[in-house]
Structure formats: C-alpha cells, structure tokens
C-alpha cells in the first residue's frame, strides 16, 4: 500500500471525521473545502473530535495534538491535491455537484492520485467517466462516528483496477477500519441498504402524521433494544444529508410522498438551521437530547 498523503474533499460532519481518523493513524492529511469559512468550521469540528477520542478511545493529549498537527487546510483545489496519493470525496449527495467536482479534480490532480467517493447512496459508475481515470476510481464509505463505528465499505465499479481496489482495502485497515469489500455495485452498499429503508420509513411516518418523532423512536428502541431510534440516527447523519437524498428520490421518481417529505425537511429543519447534532438542534436538542432521559422509554 503506497498511500502516504491523503486529501479529504469536503469538511462536513463525516469529512472532518475521516480527516481526523486518518491523521490519528499517522497519515499526512489535507482538507479541502470551498472557502475559508468552511475550513474554519472543519477546524472547530476536529477540535471537538480531539476530546471525543480522548473520552472514547482513551487517547492521550499528545496523540490527538499530533494528529491535529498532521492536518493542513486549503480552499485551492490544485494546492490541496498537489501531493495526494489518495483523495476521498465527501461532498454533498447531489449528482451534478459531484460530477462537476470530479471533472475539475481530474484537471489538477497528479496522475498518481486515486479517487474514492464516500457517497452514501450513489454508485461509482455514475461518476467514473467524469473522473477521467475510471481505473483509479471507486467508492470508500464510512459510517458516522467513524472512530467507534469503524466500518469501511470498499466498492468498485466494472472499470476499477483490482490493484487499486486492493490498495484501498489495505488503506482502510491502516486507519483502523474493518474493511468490508463489496463484489458488485449496490446502491447504499451494505450499511445503507439496511439503514436507509428504516430511516425512510420513520420519516414517512412523520410526514404522514401517523406519529411524532419521540413516539417513533421510542417504538424502535423498546421493540428492538436499539440504543437510538431512527430520528436520533438522522440527527447524527445530518438532516441536510437526509434532505438531499429524499429530494433526489422525489425528483427521480415523482413520488408525491417523497416530495412532501422533502418539503417538510426543508421548511421545518434545513431552512431553520436545525441540521442535527452538528448545529445543536435537529429532531432533538443537544447536548442533552430527550431520548437520553432516564424516563424516555417509560410509560410517562
């Protein structure tokens, strides 16, 4: 495995996590985003992650400070990828945005750079041509709270070079992940093939006014023993990400229920800045969400 310099494109919730996890495991990391405001937000997120790693992994202050120091930040794409062996894309789940990004990236990235998409639901074959290097392109998908939920799904498309695929599998292991190779393209990979239908079902129950957020979550938690309900999970994922996925489904299928749900998410949450854990409020308020109350699962 020849990867040493890693660039993360997109510094949202998961992009910041990927960057810090990679740096924590000894790699030199560059974070790219569209402007300095976004990059400052990334630094703020990563500073919070330092505390989480100390709390959850018993990492030392020296370890997390060293990891932080291995990360650099650029809003100039050419500078961000100048020495990249691997670029992991973690930008919004919007096809035209991703396509345009890969077309620009191919113009400035060195020939050696492998491109990997962290897309949650989209397939690498949708963007292979836009990358200009389909043999060096594949998907590498992480779960939220990457340092605890340490899965890495590696999915190739028919044109991916198997040597590249194998190198990305080894890279995933090198940053502390459990590498999960997929042998065929699958929208949603393994994790989201299981998770997204649950989240869709929960959101549609809310949109149809069948039950409220807390009742839906309480039902799932009591009946299955899960530590979080679907809306608590959505707050971690980010309601903006959920909105983008739902809107794409509405646009692709014309399904009026998904259209209604997208409008609800935009009006009541996205437009109000209630994006989940990252903003302090989503379906719940943080840092002390209602589902963590000792009496939440009771019959009060």
């Amino acid at each position: 495995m020849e990867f040493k310099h890693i660039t993360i494109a997109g510094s949202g919730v998961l992009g910041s996590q990927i960057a810090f996890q990679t740096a924590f495991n000894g790699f030199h990391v560059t974070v790219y985003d569209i402007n300095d405001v976004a990059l400052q937000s990334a630094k703020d997120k990563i500073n919070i992650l330092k505390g989480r790693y100390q709390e959850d992994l018993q990492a030392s202050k020296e370890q997390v400070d060293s990891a932080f120091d291995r990360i650099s930040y650029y809003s100039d794409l050419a500078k961000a990828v100048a020495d990249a062996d691997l670029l992991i894309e973690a930008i919004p789940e919007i096809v035209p945005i991703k396509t345009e990004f890969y077309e620009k990236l191919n113009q400035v990235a060195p020939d050696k750079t492998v491109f990997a998409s962290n897309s949650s639901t989209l397939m690498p074959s949708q963007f292979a041509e836009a990358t200009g290097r389909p043999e060096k392109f594949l998907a590498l998908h992480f779960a939220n709270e990457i340092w605890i939920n340490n899965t890495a799904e590696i999915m190739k498309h028919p044109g991916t070079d198997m040597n590249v695929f194998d190198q990305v599998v080894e890279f995933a292991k090198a940053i502390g992940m459990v590498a999960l190779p997929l042998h065929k393209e699958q929208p949603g990979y393994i994790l989201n093939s299981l998770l997204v239908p649950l989240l869709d079902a929960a959101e549609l129950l809310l949109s149809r006014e069948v039950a409220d957020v807390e009742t839906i979550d309480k039902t799932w938690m009591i009946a299955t023993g899960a530590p979080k309900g679907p809306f608590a999970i959505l707050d971690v994922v980010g309601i903006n990400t959920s909105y983008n996925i739902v809107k794409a489904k509405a646009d692709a299928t014309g399904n009026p229920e998904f259209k209604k749900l997208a409008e609800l998410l935009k009006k009541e949450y996205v437009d109000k800045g209630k994006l989940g854990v990252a903003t302090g409020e989503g379906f719940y308020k943080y840092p002390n969400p209602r589902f963590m109350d000792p009496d939440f699962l009771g019959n009060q």
Side-chain angles (χ1 to χ4, degrees):
M1 198 270 292
E2 301 169 359
F3 303 149
K4 294 178 181 177
H5 297 272
I6 314 300
T7 298
I8 313 300
S11 62
V13 172
L14 201 44
S16 297
Q17 291 180 20
I18 298 167
F20 192 66
Q21 177 72 15
T22 303
F24 185 75
N25 283 276
F27 290 83
H28 297 283
V29 176
T30 299
V31 172
Y32 164 78
D33 217 316
I34 56 174
N35 56 44
D36 292 339
V37 174
L39 292 175
Q40 182 57 54
S41 177
K43 292 176 186 178
D44 294 342
K45 293 187 191 83
I46 290 172
N47 264 315
I48 293 170
L49 289 176
K50 289 166 63 176
R52 292 295 305 274
Y53 275 59
Q54 289 178 278
E55 178 183 347
D56 296 335
L57 302 182
Q58 288 74 56
S60 69
K61 184 177 185 301
E62 291 74 20
Q63 284 178 301
V64 297
D65 286 346
S66 293
F68 189 86
D69 290 343
R70 280 191 286 273
I71 304 174
S72 56
Y73 303 83
Y74 289 95
S75 56
D76 183 312
L77 183 59
K79 291 180 180 178
V81 299
D83 199 29
D85 298 307
L86 171 67
L87 176 135
I88 302 172
E89 168 266 305
I91 67 176
E93 292 286 271
I94 301 172
V95 171
I97 291 177
K98 286 188 187 290
T99 301
E100 182 181 5
F101 172 76
Y102 280 118
E103 289 171 347
K104 290 180 178 178
L105 177 64
N106 184 49
Q107 294 173 9
V108 296
D111 290 340
K112 69 173 183 176
T113 309
V114 170
F115 300 166
S117 177
N118 181 59
S119 171
S120 298
T121 57
L122 303 170
M123 294 187 293
S125 58
Q126 292 177 256
F127 307 102
E129 183 177 350
T131 69
R133 56 186 77 186
E135 73 285 354
K136 293 181 179 176
F137 177 60
L138 73 175
L140 173 59
H141 179 253
F142 300 93
N144 261 293
E145 300 196 335
I146 183 176
W147 65 97
I148 300 171
N149 305 319
N150 61 326
T151 59
E153 298 174 283
I154 303 99
M155 183 167 70
K156 61 187 179 67
H157 65 92
T160 304
D161 185 299
M162 277 305 298
N163 182 54
V164 169
F165 182 82
D166 292 340
Q167 286 195 61
V168 174
V169 169
E170 291 307 309
F171 166 76
K173 295 176 182 177
I175 62 168
M177 298 292 102
V178 176
L180 304 169
L182 276 73
H183 304 296
K184 291 183 178 180
E185 282 194 306
Q186 166 64 35
Y189 311 72
I190 301 168
L191 175 60
N192 283 317
S193 291
L194 299 169
L195 180 60
V196 169
L198 166 68
L199 302 182
D200 281 350
E203 290 178 301
L204 288 169
L205 287 169
L206 179 67
S207 179
R208 294 168 185 159
E209 302 179 0
V210 173
D212 61 31
V213 164
E214 291 192 7
T215 301
I216 295 166
D217 273 7
K218 186 184 300 187
T219 302
W220 184 255
M221 293 166 71
I222 295 173
T224 68
K228 292 180 179 178
F231 289 103
I233 294 171
L234 283 161
D235 273 353
V236 174
V237 170
I239 297 173
N240 52 334
T241 297
S242 178
Y243 166 72
N244 288 335
I245 292 171
V246 169
K247 186 175 186 304
K249 288 180 180 178
D251 292 344
T253 66
N255 186 317
E257 288 209 291
F258 280 115
K259 181 179 179 182
K260 180 182 177 183
L261 174 56
E263 290 170 351
L264 170 68
L265 293 175
K266 187 172 191 303
K267 179 181 177 183
E268 297 299 328
Y269 298 95
V270 175
D271 287 351
K272 295 179 179 180
K274 299 178 180 180
L275 305 182
V277 175
T279 59
E281 184 174 1
F283 294 109
Y284 295 92
K285 293 183 179 181
Y286 297 86
N288 300 304
R290 172 80 178 103
F291 65 83
M292 294 295 290
D293 287 354
D295 68 346
F296 183 70
L297 299 184
N299 32 2
Q300 285 88 350

